[in-house]
């Protein structure tokens, strides 16, 4: 039996395509949004993979505007990964809400006119990803034809669909449709929604199937719950938890949603550090930083897809404690520290001390990550190299993050974070000491490359062999040097 009344006494519901729809008695804390939608008869959203890889399940959710151009923005996410309870009270639009047979949405019209759909299985997901980009506030001001054809003359960023796969049409007609889109009409209700305030998060408690989903009102309530229920699983963007639910059959007894806690959603530039809330999504961080932390600017486009980045958080990346977490490698090079909040207070822990073993950390069960702190000033020469089988939307074989200061041709300071070469993300400490004090020349870098190649204990698996991983480490330093030229600066 499911309790569908949330704590504020309101029936748990979504505003779905403009109408309020109760979650209903059969919804459990583990019911994914995709399954729930299809149970409502909205079968436009499809399941291709159930693990965030194909985008056939994409929907749009109204979220607080991240770059200051609008109060609210439409964010496309993978509905297969997000428990529907996490969307209680939120505005959700599916492909069914974007147009009618008599009056297609501009995105649908362009796809139809340019032959952007054949079997149509992927099309609803493409439509939702493209529509979120269609409504993006900053789109009209983008530089046309920037980054080798990635941005269209209409400011449309093709990366918006890099998490959507199509098996039969071929991507050119889809790109043509994207680049043909105009701007939304003023009377378009979804464009108007962007000027209105975002929907506040609801104080939700949903019980069913022997489990409980709770969205606490604030941090103290979250910490109290965590102290009472050490078996609870924290939920932010659900891009890892959702995969566990769908593919590994995990059924946590308690899910505590932290993604809308105000205490975890700040971003400040102080004199001596940047403070980033653990529950800001990667898309929000990218927009809010606006290039001010160049190493992270390089990381974001290489991290999964926009569909994933619209939900994924740094708290989740560090919470997963994966040895191949991309953000972790970058944050290690930036010498970040974590603010851990627990019922007994807060403590600040250097990220380099945080990992204690394979997927183990020194975070206690009653603690959560509230904030990530990056010390200032930043290093002058930074780069993030992700070695993966695909250029975008792939998990790293090896991730290497560099943060170097080169002064008068000599390496004054070196910090290097590595993912994929040990049981935990690590700092390349031997390479850092070998580099410091050395001239930043091809000869010395060649000598130190072999030190970097010997860092860690890389394993062979289906992503890459151990020797390949080691070779890529060494190559990465050579690549950094080649890219930095004679006047080292941030390189890509
Ligand atoms: C298709 C796909 C592609 C991906 N590509 C990449 C990639 O390129 N690089 C990469 O590094 N990762 C990738 N991931 C993994 C995932 O997206 C990231 O780890 C992401 O940062 C997780 O964030 P989240 O908010 O979704 O975490 P969630 O799934 O909500 O949570 C993940 C874990 O962290 C815990 N947690 C969440 N918030 C906190 C907090 N504040 N404090 C403590 N613990 C917390 C949760 O309890 C859970 O154990 C990919 C995942 C998918 C499905
Ligand atoms: S079903 Fe493939 S991303 Fe959701
Ligand atoms: S149109 Fe068939 S998968 Fe894209």
């Amino acid at each position: 039996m499911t309790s569908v009344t949330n704590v504020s006494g309101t029936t748990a519901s979504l505003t779905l395509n403009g109408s309020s729809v109760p979650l209903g008695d059969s919804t459990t804390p583990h019911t994914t949004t995709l399954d729930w939608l299809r149970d409502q008869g909205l079968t436009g959203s499809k399941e291709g993979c159930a693990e965030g890889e194909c985008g056939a399940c994409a929907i749009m959710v109204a979220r607080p505007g991240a770059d200051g151009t609008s109060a609210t923005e439409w964010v496309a996410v993978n509905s297969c990964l997000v428990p529907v309870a996490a969307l209680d009270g939120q505005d959700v639009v599916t492909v069914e809400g974007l147009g009618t047979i008599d009056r297609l949405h501009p995105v649908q019209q362009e796809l139809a006119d340019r032959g952007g759909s054949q079997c149509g299985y992927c099309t609803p997901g493409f439509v939702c990803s493209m529509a979120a980009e269609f409504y993006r506030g900053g789109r009209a001001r983008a530089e046309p034809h920037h980054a080798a054809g990635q941005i269209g003359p209409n400011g449309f960023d093709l990366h918006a669909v890099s998490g959507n796969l199509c098996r039969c049409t071929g991507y050119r007609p889809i790109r043509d449709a994207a680049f043909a889109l105009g701007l939304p009409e003023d009377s378009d209700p979804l464009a108007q929604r962007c000027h209105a305030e975002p929907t506040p998060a609801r104080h939700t408690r949903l019980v069913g199937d022997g489990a409980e989903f709770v969205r606490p009102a604030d941090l103290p309530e979250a910490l109290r719950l965590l102290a009472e229920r050490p078996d609870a699983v924290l939920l932010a963007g659900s891009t890892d938890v959702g995969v566990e639910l769908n593919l590994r059959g995990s059924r946590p007894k308690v899910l505590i949603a932290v993604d809308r806690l105000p205490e975890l959603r700040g971003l400040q530039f102080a004199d001596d550090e940047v403070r980033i809330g653990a529950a800001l999504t990667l898309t929000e961080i990218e927009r809010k930083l606006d290039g001010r932390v160049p190493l992270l600017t390089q990381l974001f486009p290489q991290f999964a897809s926009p569909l994933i980045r619209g939900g994924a958080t740094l708290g989740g990346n560090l919470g997963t404690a994966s040895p191949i977490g991309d953000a972790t490698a970058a944050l290690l090079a930036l010498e970040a520290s974590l603010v851990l909040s627990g019922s007994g207070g807060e403590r600040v822990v250097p990220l380099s001390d945080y990992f204690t073993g394979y997927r183990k950390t020194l975070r206690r069960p009653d603690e959560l990550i509230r904030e990530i702190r990056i010390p200032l000033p930043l290093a002058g020469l930074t780069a993030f190299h992700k070695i993966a089988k695909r250029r975008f939307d792939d998990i790293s074989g090896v991730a290497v993050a560099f943060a170097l200061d080169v002064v008068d041709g000599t390496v004054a300071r070196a910090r290097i974070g590595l993912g994929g070469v040990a049981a935990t993300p690590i700092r390349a400490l031997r390479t850092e000491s070998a580099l410091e004090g050395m001239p930043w020349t091809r000869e010395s870098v060649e000598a130190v490359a072999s030190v970097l190649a010997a860092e860690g204990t890389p394993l062979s698996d289906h992503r890459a062999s151990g020797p390949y991983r080691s070779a890529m480490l060494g190559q990465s330093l050579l690549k950094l040097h080649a890219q930095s030229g004679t006047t080292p600066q941030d390189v890509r």
Side-chain angles (χ1 to χ4, degrees), residues 75 123 165 192 246 273 300 319 358 379 412 425 428 475 484:
V75 178
T123 309
L165 302 182
Q192 287 177 351
N246 290 344
E273 62 188 10
F300 293 128
Y358 178 68
Q475 285 301 315
S484 70

Side-chain angles (χ1 to χ4, degrees), residues 90-394:
Q90 300 301 300
D91 282 2
V92 170
V93 170
T94 65
V95 69
E96 290 88 350
L98 280 171
T100 61
I101 290 185
D102 299 330
R103 190 160 195 270
L104 293 180
H105 186 274
V107 168
Q108 294 165 325
Q109 189 68 57
E110 291 298 346
L111 279 169
D113 289 350
R114 285 157 211 279
S117 175
Q118 287 188 46
C119 80
Y121 197 85
C122 69
T123 309
F126 269 99
V127 168
C128 287
S129 289
M130 289 168 73
E133 175 64 8
F134 174 69
Y135 291 112
R136 180 168 62 82
R139 175 166 69 91
R141 293 193 304 280
E143 286 291 314
H145 301 304
H146 159 75
Q150 177 199 323
I151 311 274
N154 56 356
F156 190 103
D157 184 349
L158 265 193
H159 275 191
V161 290
S162 67
N164 295 83
L165 302 182
C166 175
R167 289 189 166 212
C168 42
T169 299
Y171 293 102
R172 208 214 57 224
I174 296 172
R175 184 195 64 191
D176 292 348
F179 286 176
L181 284 164
L183 290 174
E185 290 176 6
D186 291 342
S187 58
D188 182 327
L190 297 185
Q192 287 177 351
R193 178 69 188 83
C194 296
H195 303 305
E197 285 305 304
T199 320
R202 266 196 196 156
H203 191 190
T204 303
R205 180 165 177 267
L206 190 141
V207 181
D209 201 18
E212 201 176 326
F213 171 94
V214 190
R215 179 178 292 290
D218 52 23
L219 181 60
E221 187 190 345
L223 296 178
R224 185 176 51 70
L225 285 166
L226 211 46
E228 286 167 11
R229 296 296 301 264
D231 58 335
V233 169
L234 297 168
L235 186 78
S238 197
T239 62
D240 280 318
V241 172
V243 175
E244 294 292 318
L245 288 173
N246 290 344
L247 298 194
R248 298 193 186 96
S250 104
R251 293 289 178 267
K253 288 278 181 212
V254 187
L255 283 168
I256 302 178
V258 295
D259 54 319
R260 298 293 293 273
L261 289 177
E263 297 90 340
L264 274 66
R265 290 184 45 79
L267 191 147
Q268 294 104 28
F269 259 77
D271 286 345
D272 56 348
E273 62 188 10
V274 190
R275 300 176 193 143
I276 304 176
L280 286 172
T281 68
L282 299 187
T283 302
E284 288 175 314
I285 300 170
E286 180 175 22
R287 302 249 181 93
K288 286 175 192 292
L289 286 179
D290 197 19
R292 287 178 290 173
V293 181
L295 181 53
L296 295 184
T297 308
Q298 294 175 44
L299 162 75
F300 293 128
Q302 301 183 62
F303 192 111
S305 64
L307 285 170
I308 295 289
R309 297 200 295 276
T313 63
L314 289 182
N317 203 238
L318 298 165
T320 300
S322 163
I324 47 170
D326 286 330
T328 318
L331 292 170
L332 278 170
L334 292 169
E335 294 185 278
S337 48
L338 309 182
V339 180
L340 299 178
S341 284
S343 43
E346 284 199 339
R347 56 184 176 137
V348 181
V349 174
L351 180 57
S352 51
D353 296 346
Y354 180 67
F355 300 102
T356 54
Y358 178 68
R359 290 195 183 260
K360 291 204 177 92
T361 71
L362 46 71
R363 182 172 72 86
R364 292 192 299 262
D366 70 330
E367 288 180 317
L368 54 73
I369 305 166
R370 185 178 67 74
E371 188 173 85
I372 293 94
R373 294 183 176 170
I374 299 171
L376 295 173
L378 299 168
L381 173 62
T382 56
F384 183 75
H385 294 168
K386 174 165 175 164
I387 293 99
K389 287 186 177 155
R390 290 193 308 250
R391 215 170 138 223
F392 297 112
D393 201 7
D394 203 358

